[in-house]
Amino acid sequence: MPASAYESLCAHARETALLTSTAGLLQWDEETYLPPAGGAYRAEQCALLAGLIHQRQTDPRVGEWLDELESSGSTSDPRSDAAANVRGLRRDYDKKTKLPPKLVEELSRTASLGQQAWKEARQADDFTLFQPMLEKTIELKQQEAEAIGYEASPYDALLDDYEPGETAANVARVLGGLREQLAPLVEKIAAAEKRPDGRVLSRHYPVARQEAFGKRAAAAIGFDFDAGRLDVTAHPFCGGAGPRDVRITTRYDDHEFAGALFGTLHEAGHGLYEQGLPAGDYGLPLGEAVSLGIHESQSRMWENLVGRSQAFWRHFFAPFAEAFPDALAGVTEEAFYFAVNESKPSLIRTESDEATYNLHIIVRFELEQALLADDLLVADLPEAWNAKYREYLGIVPPNAADGVLQDVHWSAGLFGYFPTYTLGNLYASQFFDQAGSDLGDLEGQFSRGDFQPLRDWLRTNIHRDGRRYSAGQLVERVTGKPLSHEPLMAHLSTKYGRLYGFD
């Protein structure tokens, strides 16, 4: 008996996922262990795989199967698994078929070479070494936006890859509203007389012990090291080859532990989402994340709402002090908690505090829109970056490595990615409030080192449905309310008011 259209469609998608996961492993290796001399050949490998994957994603048979299923009424129940998979695959197919195969291959090749150029430029603190690759990347991303099509802005076509249905205009509205409410809070913090002693964060923290403690913390919140691993990279990320092979990365500095520890918790949060997706549906929409904003909500929740909470450190301060007795000699738990939550304008996005983080996103969002619209030349980007930091954060990077070259995203062609970080903060706070209402005393649970109730709640309410719902639908389904900035602002105002004494 011949396979049904639905069976054929799913089998094809699962086989395509095998190629996609292979490409993911090559990209992970490129960021972790690839020898420098192997870079050019790796770019060709990635380009070939990208082309093969695109061929499968745009195979005319996929369109025929989708047409048959949609016309037959077999997916008429929108809540069914089949309908969810068909909806997702239809969206993917329609978008992918608009992209010329040669453009897809060139985008992949340029992303690989671009990341290598970015690494070299960052190490040399020389933007000009990266400038030609960034110019080529932007040109290709403009071609991609034109091929996909858009109504208002080419940025919309690229943003849709990461946050389906979202627009630049709406993101600008959200970020603008947040900035209006964040600015007074940041001013209050800056004017507060009560200050933490942040010097404790720059004492000597041996890297080997940092790694051991980071793995301990990641395992405690539920990251399964039998189905994942932690490695070192220049820019932390989460990747791998499916829910049973999740790779997270971090970076270490023996005089600055916070970046590695909270970065590990952040990537472990991404990893928990990947490990929590239905493994049996891997390769299908039901086995994939809703959006990058929802993905980011998971990482930001574990990094900040859990990892920087007072309850977390009630449980972990003693073993942390035992691991670093010299660095924490004479430091109380309360003083340490205040130090790891210090708020002040900083240069590095990934190391910024919760109160100022979204200002870093606004800088990137505005600059990448200008680049794509040809309102800003790549050659002028460093100067524009510094001007934005002076305007929004009151500081100017002393060099390119800590300024315009600090993020890997643009080198990989990830234009439209940055706004999902702020959306993730909004989603995270709203989900966390609902989890607290449903589970009761989260603070008490964390103080006892019990993170399983929250992890299980996330798997039940966020992870297990894959792409069954859109991000907006998921938020309303889980919390009963549309996405709002109020939970995030309430969290920030309460936390920093208590810490700095103006609540």
Side-chain angles (χ1 to χ4, degrees):
M1 179 183 297
S4 70
Y6 184 68
E7 291 172 334
S8 298
L9 179 67
C10 290
H12 184 87
R14 291 179 192 277
E15 289 175 359
T16 303
L18 292 174
L19 283 176
T20 304
S21 64
T22 302
L25 281 178
L26 285 178
Q27 291 160 4
W28 168 84
D29 177 72
E30 181 178 332
E31 293 296 314
T32 51
Y33 296 111
L34 181 71
Y41 193 69
R42 177 56 48 86
E44 295 304 315
Q45 291 172 319
C46 290
L48 176 62
L49 276 175
L52 293 173
I53 292 166
H54 185 70
Q55 287 177 21
R56 292 188 59 86
Q57 290 172 328
T58 58
D59 189 324
R61 293 179 300 167
V62 174
E64 293 169 2
W65 292 324
L66 289 168
D67 289 343
E68 180 180 339
L69 289 165
E70 290 164 343
S71 63
S72 69
S74 58
T75 59
S76 57
D77 179 2
R79 297 169 297 180
S80 70
D81 289 358
N85 282 327
V86 169
R87 277 197 308 273
L89 291 170
R90 166 59 78 184
R91 180 187 182 282
D92 298 343
Y93 178 76
D94 287 349
K95 195 164 188 177
K96 295 294 184 183
T97 51
K98 295 178 180 179
L99 295 175
K102 288 185 178 180
L103 176 60
V104 171
E105 293 181 22
E106 190 59 24
L107 281 164
S108 175
R109 182 181 294 107
T110 302
S112 183
L113 293 173
Q115 289 174 80
Q116 294 162 37
W118 167 78
K119 285 182 185 178
E120 180 184 357
R122 192 166 189 267
Q123 290 170 356
D125 188 24
D126 184 352
F127 178 77
T128 62
L129 297 177
F130 176 50
Q131 181 179 329
M133 289 305 304
L134 182 56
E135 289 172 339
K136 183 176 182 180
T137 298
I138 291 171
E139 180 182 348
L140 291 172
K141 298 305 287 188
Q142 290 170 329
Q143 293 177 29
E144 180 183 353
E146 293 300 324
I148 293 171
Y150 52 87
E151 292 186 7
S153 164
Y155 194 85
D156 292 344
L158 305 180
L159 176 62
D160 187 75
D161 274 347
Y162 310 112
E163 204 66 20
E166 194 53 88
T167 65
N170 189 54
V171 170
R173 179 187 63 80
V174 171
L175 292 184
L178 262 182
R179 187 185 173 206
E180 287 181 6
Q181 295 197 26
L182 280 172
L185 176 62
V186 172
E187 289 176 4
K188 281 185 177 182
I189 294 171
E193 293 185 6
K194 186 180 178 183
R195 314 302 300 179
D197 183 356
R199 292 175 298 177
V200 65
L201 305 183
S202 59
R203 294 177 180 175
H204 185 232
Y205 295 88
V207 166
R209 295 184 205 170
Q210 286 192 55
E211 182 179 5
F213 191 86
K215 287 182 176 179
R216 176 177 177 174
I221 67 172
F223 184 78
D224 183 359
F225 279 95
D226 286 336
R229 56 180 292 129
L230 174 66
D231 292 279
V232 179
T233 189
H235 191 98
F237 68 97
C238 172
R244 304 304 300 164
D245 184 1
V246 178
R247 314 294 178 94
I248 61 175
T249 64
T250 194
R251 60 188 177 203
Y252 299 102
D253 181 336
D254 61 4
H255 284 282
E256 202 286 303
F257 81 89
L261 176 59
F262 293 113
T264 296
L265 288 174
H266 180 99
E267 301 307 334
H270 282 304
L272 284 172
Y273 192 1
E274 292 296 316
Q275 291 178 343
L277 291 167
D281 289 312
Y282 184 70
L284 303 176
L286 284 178
E288 297 171 343
V290 181
S291 72
L292 280 187
I294 297 297
H295 223 310
E296 191 64 20
S297 77
Q298 305 304 282
S299 59
R300 299 294 283 179
M301 185 182 298
W302 287 107
E303 175 193 358
N304 289 327
L305 300 178
V306 179
R308 294 184 190 270
S309 71
Q310 192 163 21
F312 182 90
W313 287 106
R314 286 196 193 107
H315 175 70
F316 271 115
F317 182 72
F320 191 76
E322 184 178 347
F324 303 100
D326 295 333
L328 295 176
V331 179
T332 66
E333 177 188 316
E334 192 72 25
F336 180 81
Y337 166 67
F338 196 1
V340 298
N341 283 287
E342 181 177 12
S343 177
K344 61 181 180 181
S346 61
L347 294 172
I348 309 300
R349 173 187 63 86
T350 57
E351 298 170 6
S352 64
D353 59 83
E354 292 178 82
T356 60
Y357 181 88
N358 291 305
L359 298 175
H360 293 263
I361 299 304
I362 293 171
V363 169
R364 291 152 175 79
F365 174 62
E366 293 181 352
L367 289 175
E368 65 182 6
Q369 286 188 93
L371 288 167
L372 285 166
D374 288 329
D375 293 332
L376 175 65
L377 296 176
V378 173
D380 297 331
L381 180 58
E383 182 180 350
W385 179 285
N386 291 351
K388 290 286 186 185
Y389 264 77
R390 183 184 296 108
E391 178 184 359
Y392 292 160
L393 290 147
I395 53 178
V396 178
N399 52 51
D402 290 333
V404 69
L405 288 173
Q406 69 177 267
D407 295 304
V408 70
H409 300 61
W410 291 339
S411 74
L414 302 181
F415 283 81
Y417 193 119
F418 279 117
T420 67
Y421 289 122
T422 288
L423 291 173
N425 287 331
L426 297 172
Y427 293 136
S429 294
Q430 195 157 330
F431 287 145
F432 192 74
D433 279 4
Q434 188 63 47
S437 296
D438 293 347
L439 298 174
D441 185 16
L442 284 178
E443 186 174 344
Q445 294 165 18
F446 299 164
S447 296
R448 296 189 297 272
D450 185 6
F451 304 100
Q452 184 172 344
L454 176 59
R455 183 176 71 250
D456 290 347
W457 186 91
L458 292 170
R459 285 188 172 168
T460 299
N461 290 281
I462 312 296
H463 305 170
R464 73 175 181 181
D465 280 316
R467 287 167 59 189
R468 188 185 301 275
Y469 309 106
S470 69
Q473 290 171 336
L474 183 65
V475 171
E476 290 213 41
R477 181 178 178 84
V478 173
T479 71
K481 301 175 184 178
L483 181 64
S484 169
H485 67 278
E486 292 178 2
L488 174 60
M489 288 307 307
H491 162 70
L492 294 176
S493 298
T494 299
K495 178 174 185 175
Y496 286 102
R498 289 174 178 170
L499 282 168
Y500 284 88
F502 55 80
D503 61 339

